[in-house]
Amino acid sequence: MTTPPALLIAGHGTRDDAGAEAFRAFVRELGRRRPDLPVAGGFIELSPPPLGEAVAELVERRVRRFAAVPLMLVSAGHAKGDIPAALAREKERHPGLTYTYGRPLGPHPSLLRVLERRLAEAVDPSWDPAEVTVLLVGRGSTDPDANAEVFKAARLLWEGRGYAGVETAFVSLAAPDVPSGLDRCARLGARRIVVLPYFLFTGILPDRVRTQTEEWATAHPDTEVRSADVIGPEPELLDLVLERYEEAVKGDLRMNCDSCVYRIALPGFEDKVGLPQQPHFHPDDDGHHHGHGHGHAHSHSHAH
């Protein structure tokens, strides 16, 4: 029987210890779910273990093939460029290693169901959904395609669920920010708003969303505002990661490249087309005697 490729989980990284541990615990749970697979996970920046250490762990377990899944909701610069560059670097560090690269997680119907549960947990059971406006808050990116994916998730969440509306905001790098998003909800007549963070785990940015929401609510006492929780390590998320793994193994990859800033000359971003990608420098990555992320540049690619 042919041994299936290992599973490598690639995370962004966070300065929040609880958020980083949530990622590591999630990787451990994936390993328990699939004892037939070697499973490892690492970050491209900010928190340990670095992605290179996770790859080295797999190599030490005699892994020669793996499928990498980015534990990210949208296809921003990290999923499109940083992780592929880091994986290409690891292939140079470990001759004979081969891999495929999966696609990010959302928007996906199973995650929309989790978001719907988070909303139900946040609202008063007596509230009529038709009187509730949702503000879905994404991380925010300099990549317009990534920001557009958050708007797509908001629309899919609105469809068929009976809310008064689902508006969109971002906590960094993109407009509208959280206070502006709440202002828009109020101008549209909202009297009951639920702010829903579009994040997998706890961290500095979701905490910032909650703080900004509380500050806005204090300044607008006539509007009832609730904060929902992040998605978290739900069974649906575990199932979805394994689904993305199976896609990568079987070659059923459907990464959206129609509006990718590295392939298409979008207005204001023309200089990014074909831009070589460099892996992030991670302070915990000893480089395996190959330096700290100063290796060769690699053109943007979704699979290797």
Side-chain angles (χ1 to χ4, degrees):
M1 182 176 178
T2 304
T3 303
L7 170 58
L8 176 70
I9 306 298
H12 175 273
T14 174
R15 292 184 177 88
D16 180 78
D17 291 339
E21 179 53 31
F23 171 92
R24 293 188 289 263
F26 185 81
V27 172
R28 292 193 295 269
E29 180 59 27
L30 280 168
R32 285 190 287 268
R33 276 202 167 206
R34 288 293 300 269
D36 58 314
L37 289 180
V39 178
F43 298 102
I44 57 174
E45 61 179 353
L46 298 177
S47 44
L51 194 63
E53 183 176 309
V55 173
E57 175 189 332
L58 292 176
V59 171
E60 289 172 4
R61 297 167 68 179
R62 300 185 183 276
V63 166
R64 306 310 295 163
R65 299 183 303 142
F66 67 86
V69 175
L71 199 67
M72 298 172 182
L73 288 167
V74 301
S75 299
H78 296 303
K80 291 178 178 180
D82 299 329
I83 296 174
L87 293 175
R89 178 185 61 194
E90 294 309 311
K91 188 174 181 180
E92 292 179 356
R93 288 174 171 177
H94 304 283
L97 193 65
T98 61
Y99 64 90
T100 55
Y101 181 42
R103 57 180 173 143
L105 304 176
H108 189 280
S110 62
L111 294 185
L112 295 175
R113 288 195 296 271
V114 178
L115 291 174
E116 189 173 13
R117 283 208 303 274
R118 295 292 176 256
L119 289 172
E121 293 163 359
V123 302
D124 189 304
S126 66
W127 288 5
D128 181 353
E131 298 177 348
V132 175
T133 298
V134 179
L135 182 64
L136 184 71
V137 181
R139 175 181 296 272
S141 172
T142 56
D143 184 337
D145 181 39
N147 296 330
E149 286 192 34
V150 181
F151 275 82
K152 182 177 181 179
R155 181 69 200 194
L156 290 171
L157 183 63
W158 187 19
E159 292 282 355
R161 290 180 172 84
Y163 298 112
V166 180
E167 297 297 317
T168 309
F170 301 95
V171 72
S172 65
L173 299 176
D177 59 16
V178 175
S180 297
L182 287 164
D183 287 343
R184 174 176 170 79
C185 292
R187 287 197 297 270
L188 290 171
R191 289 294 175 264
R192 288 173 171 167
I193 304 171
V194 179
V195 177
L196 179 61
Y198 194 44
F199 287 82
L200 293 175
F201 302 127
T202 58
I204 290 175
L205 293 182
D207 287 348
R208 187 181 301 168
V209 174
R210 186 175 289 268
T211 298
Q212 292 178 350
T213 298
E214 292 171 352
E215 291 172 349
W216 190 93
T218 299
H220 299 79
D222 293 337
T223 304
E224 193 162 5
V225 184
R226 301 281 182 91
S227 289
D229 287 332
V230 296
I231 291 171
E234 294 292 284
E236 290 92 340
L237 181 58
L238 289 157
D239 290 341
L240 179 54
V241 169
L242 292 173
E243 181 179 324
R244 292 289 187 256
Y245 164 81
E246 295 293 343
E247 288 175 357
V249 169
K250 295 174 182 176
D252 181 23
L253 296 175
R254 291 165 284 176
M255 182 78 78
N256 173 28
C257 292
D258 293 337
S259 52
C260 174
V261 75
Y262 298 111
R263 294 179 182 270
I264 307 299
L266 299 180
F269 298 87
E270 293 88 350
D271 60 325
K272 291 194 174 186
V273 176
L275 192 67
Q277 300 299 304
Q278 292 278 12
H280 267 289
F281 164 70
H282 197 298
D284 296 319
D285 188 344
D286 64 12
H288 305 286
H289 310 294
H290 286 266
H292 290 283
H294 300 296
H296 300 295
H298 298 277
S299 296
H300 167 56
S301 177
H302 292 316
H304 299 267

